[in-house]
Amino acid sequence: MTTLNITFDGLSADIPVELERLISDADVRRIALELVRSGGVPGLRRLQLGDDAFQHYVVDRFRGARGEERIYLRPKVPFGAC
């Protein structure tokens, strides 16, 4: 089981997702879009979310302390860039 964390509109939520393989960043964005549109993300339901809503979001991947996969979908931040 993978945990997908989506940060959108100042809110953040974790959603467990069953993935059978490593997925691309584009797939993460597509899955997140459908989850948010469908109401599958508590507190983040947006029916009118545009197809490109997560286009410029960053996808970060980490392993938890017990080896579980965590994927974070978050907006780019203006600081820390060169």
Side-chain angles (χ1 to χ4, degrees), residues 2 6 12 14 16 22 24 26 28 31 35-36 48-49 56 59 78-79:
T2 299
I6 301 172
S12 181
D14 283 341
L22 182 64
S24 69
V28 170
I31 290 167
L35 284 169
V36 172
Q48 303 302 318
L49 199 60
H56 300 291
V59 177
F79 51 87

Side-chain angles (χ1 to χ4, degrees), residues 48-65:
Q48 303 302 318
L49 199 60
D51 290 342
D52 62 348
F54 297 118
Q55 179 180 355
H56 300 291
Y57 273 49
V58 175
V59 177
D60 290 322
R61 300 164 192 268
F62 298 97
R63 290 276 175 195

Side-chain angles (χ1 to χ4, degrees), residues 2-49:
T2 299
T3 300
L4 173 60
N5 176 277
I6 301 172
T7 300
F8 183 77
D9 200 20
L11 300 171
S12 181
D14 283 341
I15 308 96
V17 290
E18 190 73 37
L19 302 175
E20 295 181 10
R21 60 180 172 82
L22 182 64
I23 60 173
S24 69
D25 290 358
D27 286 338
V28 170
R29 291 181 187 101
R30 181 186 51 77
I31 290 167
L33 182 68
E34 293 306 319
L35 284 169
V36 172
R37 280 181 177 166
S38 71
V41 183
L44 294 182
R45 186 170 191 206
R46 304 290 190 281
L47 295 174
Q48 303 302 318
L49 199 60

